[in-house]
Amino acid sequence: MSKKELVRNLEGLEHVTGSLALDIWQHPQIAYEETYASTAQKDVLSEAGFRITDNIGGMETAFYAEYGSGHPIIGILGEFDALPGLSQSSKPYKDPVSENGPGHACGHHLLGTAGVEAVLGIKQLIDNGKVDGTIRYYGCPAEEVLSGKTFMAREGVFDDLDCCLTWHPGTSNVVQNYSTQAMISIKFRFHGVPAHAAGAPHAGRSALDAVEIMNIGANYLREHLVDGTRIHYAITNGGQAPNIVPDEAEVWYYLRGENRDQVEDMLMRMHDIAKGAALITGTSTSHELLANCYHMLTNDTMDTLNYRNMEDYPMESFTSDEVAYAAILRKSMDQKLIEESRRQLQLGYNDILPTKNFYNITMKDTTMPGSTDVADVSWITPLASIGTTCGPIGTQVHAWQATAVFGTSIGLKGMHYAARIMALTAYDLLTEPALVEQAKAEFIKATVDKPYQAGLDETVLAPGTERKEQLI
């Protein structure tokens, strides 16, 4: 009966948490600047009696809030950073609120607030003597740049967790029992000698030439990398004017691979390419490591718990108005991607907002082509994640359509469902010690002789504090 009580608790919270999510959606802030969302969530949790620990890892917006005492300690991860340039109203056509402003096109206003809702629901059971243990919500900044949780992990704030839960807004209700790519974000800077490009080019040493030669080397490297690896780059500083030999230039790389070993090998080779480019051009080079996150480690025990709760407590249907809105929005999307998604999930054309649950055990040994700093936490404690329907099939995150639909009742409905499943699974873990031990045994077996080590050492500081640039 306590599970039914928990669901009633959560339903009673929906007005407050729905308003909180939309408030954050209306005040988007990018990575490391999420003061509005962080403060709003801390205020709600503090008022409910949670103990707040903030300013974690030197990050103003990083915090955790806990309630209860003793073990098991169950964590729920939240995020709240928006994306630059994706401002959008909730209208089903392109309508920026602020031209080139940020927007919640990855749904992190929903992601974090669902965690707040889940822990508030569990808190009521603790107060009523139905549950023993500790529930902890983590407000994690800067997931979009893949480093917030790494800085938090370096501080050890996840080390005492028995298990951890999270989710992500999506277009179906799915147990996310697949891995993600490990990823390194790094900037290489070249330092040359300025000169008049026409009058005395021989006196100059072009930092931009070094950047371009490095990119040529990186592109030739692709042929000799393991299938599935990725190198993305952008020239973030190419000089000031064509008639000046640029003495400063910068290129920013993302290196992705199936696991940490692959990306660390790529990084070593990229350092060699940078040295070669500097030698060829007579420049010097330095680098700034921005992110270095793990690949995701899944946990069958908790994945099974999540799916069981999804089956026992199915998602409510969407209204005709919500389906009509989704149908209009879907007209602006890539129709080929919609068809691909429909085929993968074996959905009919009219299944615009699916509410059925998916748990494909054949996905366990696969890797999705994306990265997240959530993966760091999965190497510290047993972790499980789900996705829920917050937008129509075909919605691509990091696009304006996602910002729009995630600011509607469709996004909120998916958020409340995620909160319900995470709370129900947290309840199982808090009340059945054998499940915690089973999840931990599985985790220990997977990580034996592979202790977590943060990919960012103490020389790499969170934005807002002085970084130590490393010269080569």
Side-chain angles (χ1 to χ4, degrees):
M1 293 300 292
S2 292
K3 277 195 169 182
K4 291 183 178 179
E5 180 183 342
L6 175 56
V7 171
R8 289 195 298 271
N9 292 346
L10 295 167
E11 289 173 344
L13 291 164
E14 287 184 359
H15 177 72
V16 171
T17 56
S19 296
L20 175 62
L22 290 181
D23 188 26
I24 294 170
W25 179 82
Q26 291 166 350
H27 297 86
Q29 294 171 306
I30 61 172
Y32 295 111
E33 298 177 10
E34 320 94 324
T35 53
Y36 191 93
S38 176
T39 301
Q41 290 187 356
K42 284 189 289 188
D43 286 348
V44 169
L45 291 163
S46 178
E47 186 175 340
F50 280 72
R51 303 179 294 276
I52 307 293
T53 300
D54 54 13
N55 295 309
I56 298 169
M59 296 177 288
E60 180 184 359
T61 56
F63 74 94
Y64 68 81
E66 65 179 355
Y67 197 86
S69 61
H71 286 269
I73 303 174
I74 308 301
I76 294 182
L77 302 181
E79 297 159 12
F80 32 58
D81 56 329
L83 285 156
L86 286 166
S87 173
Q88 169 66 28
S89 74
S90 60
K91 294 174 182 175
Y93 52 85
K94 194 167 186 180
D95 179 45
V97 175
S98 173
E99 200 65 39
N100 296 319
H104 277 289
C106 211
H108 289 181
H109 63 297
L110 303 173
L111 199 164
T113 308
V116 173
E117 183 177 319
V119 298
L120 288 173
I122 291 288
K123 179 256 185 189
Q124 294 180 39
L125 293 186
I126 294 175
D127 287 343
N128 294 337
K130 304 290 180 64
V131 168
D132 292 320
T134 304
I135 193 76
R136 188 182 291 166
Y137 170 77
Y138 289 88
C140 305
E143 191 279 336
E144 296 295 357
V145 295
L146 299 163
S147 51
K149 294 181 194 66
T150 306
F151 288 119
M152 295 175 75
R154 199 172 70 185
E155 293 292 301
V157 297
F158 305 113
D159 291 354
D160 61 345
L161 287 178
D162 289 290
C163 293
C164 193
L165 299 165
T166 191
W167 78 292
H168 202 286
T171 59
S172 61
N173 300 324
V174 59
V175 174
Q176 296 176 331
N177 62 322
Y178 40 78
S179 188
T180 56
Q181 290 185 307
M183 201 280 283
I184 287 174
S185 172
I186 186 168
K187 290 181 177 179
F188 287 93
R189 299 188 179 108
F190 291 89
H191 316 282
V193 178
H196 192 292
H202 55 281
R205 298 294 181 268
S206 174
L208 178 58
D209 286 354
V211 162
E212 294 192 294
I213 290 171
M214 180 169 189
N215 287 341
I216 291 170
N219 288 331
Y220 277 110
L221 175 63
R222 296 176 195 275
E223 180 184 356
H224 307 287
L225 296 174
V226 176
D227 286 351
T229 53
R230 296 284 187 273
I231 300 175
H232 327 293
Y233 65 82
I235 297 175
T236 48
N237 179 10
Q240 300 299 312
N243 63 339
I244 303 171
V245 174
D247 61 336
E248 295 291 332
E250 178 185 86
V251 58
W252 184 8
Y253 285 94
Y254 275 13
L255 312 176
R256 300 186 200 261
E258 187 174 306
N259 53 54
R260 282 292 300 281
D261 290 341
Q262 286 185 10
V263 295
E264 291 289 351
D265 178 69
M266 291 166 67
L267 179 61
M268 178 182 67
R269 298 172 78 174
M270 292 294 285
H271 279 307
D272 286 341
I273 291 171
K275 292 174 185 176
L279 182 62
I280 290 169
T281 56
T283 60
S284 63
T285 184
S286 61
H287 65 271
E288 182 182 11
L289 186 63
L290 301 172
N292 188 351
C293 67
Y294 276 65
H295 58 287
M296 186 77 77
L297 185 63
T298 60
N299 190 278
D300 289 344
T301 300
M302 294 201 296
D303 284 340
T304 301
L305 282 178
N306 273 333
Y307 186 66
R308 185 178 74 186
N309 285 316
M310 291 167 80
E311 289 289 275
D312 289 345
Y313 295 87
M315 187 178 195
E316 64 178 294
S317 298
F318 289 91
T319 67
S320 58
D321 286 345
E322 289 168 336
V323 173
Y325 170 95
I328 296 171
L329 184 67
R330 198 165 72 159
K331 291 178 181 178
S332 65
M333 299 175 187
D334 188 311
Q335 298 304 304
K336 290 182 179 179
L337 292 177
I338 293 173
E339 289 303 311
E340 287 178 13
S341 298
R342 282 182 53 241
R343 285 196 299 271
Q344 289 173 356
L345 298 172
Q346 298 180 332
L347 295 171
Y349 182 77
N350 292 324
D351 289 323
I352 297 174
L353 292 166
T355 57
K356 65 180 293 190
N357 302 316
F358 299 92
Y359 182 18
N360 187 345
I361 61 174
T362 65
M363 294 287 288
K364 178 174 172 53
D365 295 322
T366 63
T367 301
M368 67 164 285
S371 310
T372 176
D373 60 7
V374 171
D376 279 46
V377 184
S378 77
W379 283 85
I380 299 170
T381 188
L383 180 140
S385 180
I386 61 171
T388 69
T389 301
C390 296
I393 288 292
T395 303
Q396 301 298 306
V397 293
H398 298 208
W400 69 264
Q401 292 93 337
T403 309
V405 71
F406 293 163
T408 70
S409 62
I410 297 171
L412 293 181
K413 192 168 287 186
M415 180 192 82
H416 295 315
Y417 188 55
R420 176 180 299 184
I421 300 307
M422 289 191 297
L424 289 167
T425 299
Y427 174 88
D428 289 333
L429 295 167
L430 287 164
T431 58
E432 299 183 55
L435 291 174
V436 173
E437 294 308 312
Q438 183 178 333
K440 292 171 78 170
E442 181 183 339
F443 170 80
I444 291 169
K445 183 178 179 181
T447 58
V448 64
D449 298 326
K450 300 175 185 177
Y452 174 79
Q453 183 175 352
L456 302 175
D457 65 27
E458 298 296 332
T459 66
V460 182
L461 305 179
T465 52
E466 182 181 354
R467 289 186 180 274
K468 298 177 182 178
E469 190 172 279
Q470 299 170 3
L471 291 173
I472 297 175

